Coordinates of all heavy atoms in Angstrom, one line a residue:
M1 N 158.2 118.3 52.5 CA 158.4 119.7 52.6 C 157.7 120.4 51.4 O 157.5 119.8 50.4 CB 159.9 120.0 52.5 CG 160.3 121.3 53.2 SD 162.0 121.7 52.8 CE 162.9 120.4 53.6
A2 N 157.3 121.7 51.7 CA 156.6 122.5 50.6 C 157.0 123.9 50.9 O 157.5 124.3 51.9 CB 155.1 122.2 50.7
Y3 N 156.6 124.8 49.9 CA 156.8 126.2 50.1 C 155.6 126.7 51.0 O 154.5 126.1 50.9 CB 156.9 126.9 48.8 CG 158.3 127.0 48.2 CD1 158.8 125.8 47.6 CD2 159.0 128.1 48.3 CE1 160.1 125.9 47.1 CE2 160.3 128.2 47.7 CZ 160.8 127.0 47.2 OH 162.1 127.1 46.7
K4 N 155.9 127.7 51.7 CA 154.9 128.3 52.6 C 154.9 129.9 52.4 O 156.0 130.4 52.4 CB 155.1 127.9 54.1 CG 154.0 128.3 55.0 CD 154.4 127.7 56.4 CE 153.6 128.3 57.5 NZ 152.1 128.1 57.4
I5 N 153.8 130.5 52.4 CA 153.8 132.0 52.2 C 153.7 132.7 53.5 O 152.8 132.4 54.4 CB 152.6 132.3 51.3 CG1 152.8 131.8 49.9 CG2 152.4 133.9 51.2 CD1 151.6 131.9 49.0
S6 N 154.7 133.6 53.7 CA 154.8 134.3 55.0 C 153.8 135.5 55.1 O 153.1 135.8 54.1 CB 156.2 134.9 55.2 OG 156.3 136.0 54.4
E7 N 153.7 136.1 56.2 CA 152.8 137.2 56.5 C 153.2 138.5 55.6 O 152.5 139.4 55.6 CB 152.8 137.6 58.0 CG 152.3 136.5 58.9 CD 150.9 136.1 58.6 OE1 150.1 137.0 58.2 OE2 150.6 134.9 58.8
D8 N 154.4 138.4 55.0 CA 154.8 139.5 54.1 C 154.0 139.6 52.8 O 154.0 140.6 52.1 CB 156.3 139.3 53.7 CG 157.2 139.4 54.9 OD1 156.8 140.1 55.9 OD2 158.3 138.9 54.8
C9 N 153.2 138.6 52.5 CA 152.4 138.5 51.3 C 151.5 139.8 51.2 O 150.8 140.1 52.1 CB 151.5 137.3 51.3 SG 150.4 137.2 49.9
I10 N 151.5 140.4 50.0 CA 150.6 141.6 49.8 C 149.4 141.2 48.9 O 148.8 142.0 48.3 CB 151.4 142.7 49.1 CG1 152.1 142.3 47.8 CG2 152.4 143.3 50.1 CD1 152.8 143.4 47.1
A11 N 149.2 139.9 48.7 CA 148.1 139.4 47.9 C 148.0 139.9 46.5 O 146.9 140.2 46.0 CB 146.8 139.6 48.7
C12 N 149.1 139.9 45.8 CA 149.1 140.4 44.4 C 148.7 139.3 43.4 O 148.2 139.7 42.3 CB 150.5 140.9 44.0 SG 151.7 139.5 43.8
G13 N 148.8 138.1 43.8 CA 148.3 137.0 43.0 C 149.3 136.5 41.9 O 149.0 135.5 41.2
A14 N 150.5 137.0 41.9 CA 151.5 136.6 40.9 C 151.9 135.1 41.0 O 152.0 134.4 40.1 CB 152.7 137.5 40.9
C15 N 152.0 134.7 42.3 CA 152.4 133.3 42.5 C 151.4 132.3 42.0 O 151.7 131.4 41.3 CB 152.7 133.1 44.0 SG 151.3 133.5 45.1
A16 N 150.1 132.6 42.4 CA 149.0 131.7 42.0 C 148.9 131.6 40.4 O 148.7 130.6 39.9 CB 147.7 132.2 42.6
A17 N 149.2 132.8 39.8 CA 149.1 132.8 38.3 C 150.2 132.0 37.6 O 150.0 131.6 36.5 CB 149.1 134.2 37.8
N18 N 151.3 131.8 38.3 CA 152.5 131.2 37.7 C 152.8 129.8 38.3 O 153.7 129.1 37.8 CB 153.7 132.1 37.9 CG 153.6 133.3 37.0 OD1 153.9 133.2 35.8 ND2 153.3 134.4 37.6
C19 N 152.1 129.3 39.3 CA 152.3 128.0 39.9 C 151.9 126.9 38.8 O 150.8 126.9 38.4 CB 151.5 127.8 41.2 SG 151.7 126.1 41.8
P20 N 152.9 126.0 38.5 CA 152.6 125.0 37.4 C 151.5 124.0 37.9 O 151.0 123.3 37.0 CB 153.9 124.4 37.2 CG 154.7 124.6 38.5 CD 154.2 125.9 39.0
V21 N 151.3 123.8 39.1 CA 150.4 122.8 39.6 C 149.1 123.4 40.3 O 148.3 122.7 40.9 CB 151.0 121.8 40.5 CG1 152.1 120.9 39.8 CG2 151.7 122.4 41.8
E22 N 149.0 124.7 40.1 CA 147.9 125.5 40.6 C 147.5 125.1 42.1 O 146.3 124.9 42.4 CB 146.7 125.2 39.7 CG 146.9 125.7 38.3 CD 145.8 125.5 37.3 OE1 144.7 125.1 37.8 OE2 145.9 125.9 36.2
C23 N 148.5 125.1 42.9 CA 148.2 124.8 44.3 C 148.2 126.0 45.2 O 148.2 125.9 46.5 CB 149.2 123.8 44.9 SG 150.9 124.4 45.0
I24 N 148.1 127.2 44.7 CA 148.1 128.5 45.5 C 146.7 129.1 45.3 O 146.3 129.3 44.2 CB 149.2 129.4 45.1 CG1 150.6 128.7 45.0 CG2 149.2 130.6 46.0 CD1 151.7 129.6 44.5
Q25 N 146.1 129.5 46.5 CA 144.8 130.1 46.4 C 144.8 131.3 47.4 O 145.6 131.3 48.4 CB 143.7 129.2 46.8 CG 143.5 128.0 45.8 CD 142.2 127.3 46.1 OE1 141.9 127.0 47.3 NE2 141.5 126.9 45.1
A26 N 143.9 132.3 47.1 CA 143.8 133.4 48.0 C 143.2 133.0 49.3 O 142.1 132.3 49.3 CB 142.9 134.5 47.3
G27 N 143.8 133.4 50.4 CA 143.2 133.1 51.7 C 142.6 134.3 52.3 O 142.3 135.3 51.6
D28 N 142.4 134.4 53.6 CA 141.7 135.5 54.2 C 142.5 136.8 54.1 O 142.0 137.8 53.7 CB 141.5 135.2 55.7 CG 140.4 134.2 55.9 OD1 139.6 134.0 55.0 OD2 140.3 133.5 57.0
S29 N 143.8 136.8 54.5 CA 144.6 138.0 54.4 C 145.8 137.8 53.5 O 146.5 138.8 53.2 CB 145.0 138.4 55.8 OG 145.8 137.3 56.4
K30 N 146.1 136.6 53.1 CA 147.2 136.4 52.2 C 147.0 135.1 51.4 O 146.0 134.5 51.6 CB 148.5 136.2 53.0 CG 148.5 135.0 53.9 CD 149.8 135.0 54.7 CE 150.0 133.7 55.6 NZ 150.1 132.5 54.7
Y31 N 147.9 134.9 50.4 CA 147.7 133.7 49.6 C 148.2 132.4 50.4 O 149.1 132.6 51.3 CB 148.4 133.8 48.3 CG 147.5 134.5 47.3 CD1 147.0 135.8 47.5 CD2 147.2 133.9 46.1 CE1 146.2 136.5 46.6 CE2 146.3 134.6 45.2 CZ 145.9 135.8 45.4 OH 145.0 136.5 44.5
E32 N 147.7 131.3 50.1 CA 148.1 130.1 50.8 C 148.5 129.0 49.8 O 147.9 128.8 48.7 CB 146.9 129.5 51.6 CG 146.3 130.5 52.6 CD 147.1 130.6 53.9 OE1 148.1 129.8 54.0 OE2 146.8 131.5 54.7
I33 N 149.5 128.1 50.2 CA 149.9 127.0 49.3 C 149.4 125.7 49.9 O 149.5 125.5 51.1 CB 151.5 127.0 49.3 CG1 152.0 128.2 48.5 CG2 152.0 125.7 48.6 CD1 153.5 128.4 48.6
N34 N 148.9 124.9 49.1 CA 148.5 123.5 49.5 C 149.7 122.7 49.5 O 150.2 122.3 48.5 CB 147.4 123.0 48.6 CG 146.9 121.6 49.0 OD1 147.6 120.9 49.7 ND2 145.7 121.2 48.6
P35 N 150.2 122.3 50.7 CA 151.5 121.5 50.8 C 151.4 120.1 50.2 O 152.4 119.5 49.9 CB 151.8 121.5 52.3 CG 150.5 121.7 52.9 CD 149.6 122.6 52.0
E36 N 150.2 119.6 50.1 CA 150.0 118.3 49.5 C 150.3 118.3 48.0 O 150.6 117.2 47.5 CB 148.5 117.8 49.8 CG 148.0 117.9 51.2 CD 148.5 116.7 52.0 OE1 148.3 115.6 51.5 OE2 149.0 117.0 53.1
I37 N 150.1 119.4 47.4 CA 150.3 119.5 45.9 C 151.6 120.1 45.5 O 152.1 119.8 44.4 CB 149.0 120.2 45.3 CG1 147.7 119.5 45.8 CG2 149.1 120.3 43.8 CD1 146.5 120.2 45.4
C38 N 152.1 121.0 46.3 CA 153.3 121.8 45.9 C 154.5 120.8 45.6 O 154.7 119.9 46.3 CB 153.8 122.7 47.1 SG 155.3 123.5 46.9
I39 N 155.1 121.1 44.4 CA 156.2 120.2 44.0 C 157.6 120.9 44.2 O 158.6 120.5 43.7 CB 156.1 119.9 42.5 CG1 156.0 121.1 41.6 CG2 154.9 119.0 42.3 CD1 156.1 120.8 40.1
E40 N 157.6 122.0 45.0 CA 158.8 122.7 45.4 C 159.6 123.2 44.2 O 160.8 123.1 44.2 CB 159.7 121.8 46.2 CG 159.1 121.3 47.5 CD 159.8 120.2 48.1 OE1 161.1 120.2 48.1 OE2 159.2 119.2 48.6
C41 N 158.9 123.7 43.2 CA 159.6 124.2 42.0 C 160.3 125.6 42.2 O 161.2 125.9 41.5 CB 158.7 124.3 40.8 SG 157.5 125.6 40.9
G42 N 159.8 126.3 43.2 CA 160.4 127.6 43.5 C 159.9 128.8 42.7 O 160.3 129.9 42.9
T43 N 159.0 128.5 41.7 CA 158.5 129.6 40.8 C 157.8 130.7 41.6 O 158.0 131.9 41.4 CB 157.5 129.0 39.8 OG1 158.2 128.0 39.0 CG2 157.0 130.1 38.9
C44 N 157.0 130.3 42.6 CA 156.3 131.4 43.4 C 157.3 132.3 44.1 O 157.1 133.5 44.1 CB 155.4 130.7 44.4 SG 156.2 129.4 45.4
S45 N 158.3 131.8 44.6 CA 159.3 132.6 45.2 C 160.0 133.5 44.2 O 160.3 134.7 44.6 CB 160.4 131.7 45.9 OG 161.3 132.4 46.7
S46 N 160.2 133.0 43.0 CA 160.9 133.8 42.0 C 160.1 135.0 41.5 O 160.6 136.1 41.3 CB 161.3 132.9 40.8 OG 162.1 131.9 41.1
V47 N 158.8 134.8 41.4 CA 157.9 135.8 40.9 C 157.4 136.8 42.0 O 156.8 137.8 41.7 CB 156.7 135.3 40.1 CG1 157.2 134.4 38.9 CG2 155.8 134.5 40.9
C48 N 157.5 136.4 43.2 CA 156.9 137.2 44.3 C 157.7 138.5 44.5 O 158.9 138.5 44.7 CB 156.9 136.4 45.6 SG 156.2 137.4 47.0
P49 N 157.0 139.7 44.5 CA 157.7 140.9 44.6 C 158.2 141.2 46.0 O 159.1 142.0 46.2 CB 156.6 142.0 44.3 CG 155.3 141.3 44.6 CD 155.6 139.8 44.2
V50 N 157.8 140.4 47.0 CA 158.2 140.7 48.4 C 158.9 139.4 49.0 O 159.2 139.4 50.2 CB 157.0 141.1 49.3 CG1 156.5 142.5 48.9 CG2 155.9 140.1 49.3
G51 N 159.1 138.4 48.2 CA 159.8 137.2 48.7 C 159.1 136.5 49.8 O 159.7 135.9 50.7
A52 N 157.8 136.5 49.7 CA 157.0 135.8 50.8 C 157.0 134.3 50.8 O 157.0 133.7 51.8 CB 155.5 136.3 50.7
P53 N 157.0 133.6 49.6 CA 157.0 132.1 49.6 C 158.4 131.6 50.0 O 159.4 132.0 49.3 CB 156.7 131.8 48.2 CG 156.1 133.0 47.6 CD 156.8 134.1 48.2
K54 N 158.5 130.8 51.0 CA 159.8 130.3 51.4 C 159.6 128.8 51.7 O 158.5 128.3 52.1 CB 160.3 131.0 52.7 CG 160.6 132.4 52.6 CD 161.1 133.0 53.9 CE 161.7 134.4 53.7 NZ 160.8 135.4 53.2
L55 N 160.7 128.1 51.6 CA 160.7 126.6 51.9 C 160.3 126.5 53.4 O 161.0 127.1 54.3 CB 162.0 126.0 51.6 CG 162.2 125.3 50.3 CD1 163.6 124.6 50.2 CD2 161.1 124.2 50.1
D56 N 159.4 125.7 53.7 CA 158.9 125.5 55.1 C 159.7 124.3 55.7 O 159.4 123.1 55.4 CB 157.4 125.2 55.0 CG 156.8 125.1 56.4 OD1 157.4 125.7 57.3 OD2 155.8 124.4 56.6
D57 N 160.7 124.6 56.5 CA 161.5 123.5 57.0 C 161.6 123.6 58.5 O 160.9 124.4 59.2 CB 162.9 123.5 56.4 CG 163.6 124.8 56.5 OD1 163.1 125.7 57.2 OD2 164.6 125.0 55.8
Ligands
SF4_101 FE1 153.6 126.1 43.2 FE2 156.1 125.7 42.7 FE3 155.4 127.5 44.5 FE4 155.0 124.9 45.1 S1 157.0 126.0 44.8 S2 153.6 126.6 45.4 S3 154.6 124.1 43.0 S4 155.0 127.6 42.3
SF4_102 FE1 151.6 137.1 48.0 FE2 154.0 137.0 46.8 FE3 152.0 135.4 46.0 FE4 151.9 138.1 45.6 S1 153.4 136.6 44.7 S2 150.2 136.7 46.3 S3 152.9 138.8 47.4 S4 153.1 135.3 48.0

């Protein structure tokens, strides 16, 4: 399991700047998490202003 960024993302970049394993990158319309690298720390969800990163289950 890994975190996944929903369509609510406003592409502010806060999650990517704070991810400890740098697995978040800007995509076409929103940021994307590489599920192979995500360690499920939850930091992206904590810093996101719109709550876009959620556990993908
Ligand atoms: Fe990065 Fe942690 Fe978010 Fe996974 S849960 S994308 S490791 S900040
Ligand atoms: Fe998108 Fe939230 Fe990440 Fe900002 S912090 S880029 S709104 S997922």
